[in-house]
Amino acid sequence: IFMNVFNVHVNRMPITGEVERIVYTPGKFLNAELDKASEHNERNGLVIRHSLGTIGCVQIAGLVARRIVSWTTAGSHLTVGDRFGMIRFGSRLDVYLPAGTQPKVALGQTTIAGETILADLSAGTATAPVYHAA
């Protein structure tokens, strides 16, 4: 999810679950729209465990955004929509879903944090929507 300098950059939990692990990686400040930004830029990754699966959320600093803020810690149990961090200006948030998960959004679609459903994790009759997080 790429955010330009005019977007709000508060990051919200895409699903209810426990923050299993947080990994901060220092790096460069390339344009966040570039694919290589996921590997080379400063980033902060969260592993979130939900009863129906584990997802990843990575805050990625951009060309102008040179500050990632995280308000959560490993072991925290957060609810979908809870604020967990912020990235300053022109940044990006990647959400990694379990293999085989079908997205509910189209490439390039404008999404709204805490409202737009990105995907639906399903197990039997139970469902767990994964919401836009930034």
Side-chain angles (χ1 to χ4, degrees):
I1 301 163
F2 174 75
M3 298 170 282
N4 66 42
V5 294
F6 301 109
N7 295 130
V8 175
H9 300 271
V10 171
N11 306 133
R12 296 176 183 270
M13 285 292 285
I15 195 166
T16 296
E18 181 181 333
V19 178
E20 196 169 85
R21 190 169 75 157
I22 299 175
V23 178
Y24 170 78
T25 306
K28 298 178 181 180
F29 299 99
L30 304 171
N31 184 333
E33 285 188 6
L34 301 174
D35 288 341
K36 61 185 175 181
S38 291
E39 182 180 343
H40 298 293
N41 281 20
E42 174 179 309
R43 58 201 175 278
N44 192 53
L46 282 74
V47 176
I48 304 161
R49 186 170 23 95
H50 181 274
S51 61
L52 299 178
T54 300
I55 68 166
C57 230
V58 183
Q59 299 168 287
I60 302 171
L63 185 63
V64 177
R66 295 187 176 237
R67 180 133 165 84
I68 294 173
V69 179
S70 181
W71 300 318
T72 191
T73 58
S76 298
H77 183 82
L78 300 173
T79 304
V80 65
D82 285 351
R83 295 176 181 190
F84 72 83
M86 173 176 70
I87 317 169
R88 308 276 170 100
F89 312 112
S91 50
R92 184 166 124 192
L93 184 83
D94 290 349
V95 177
Y96 295 90
L97 302 166
T101 303
Q102 294 298 313
K104 299 285 185 185
V105 291
L107 188 61
Q109 177 181 337
T110 299
T111 57
I112 300 170
E115 293 183 21
T116 305
I117 296 175
L118 300 179
D120 193 5
L121 303 180
S122 298
T125 58
T127 62
V130 177
Y131 290 88
H132 175 81

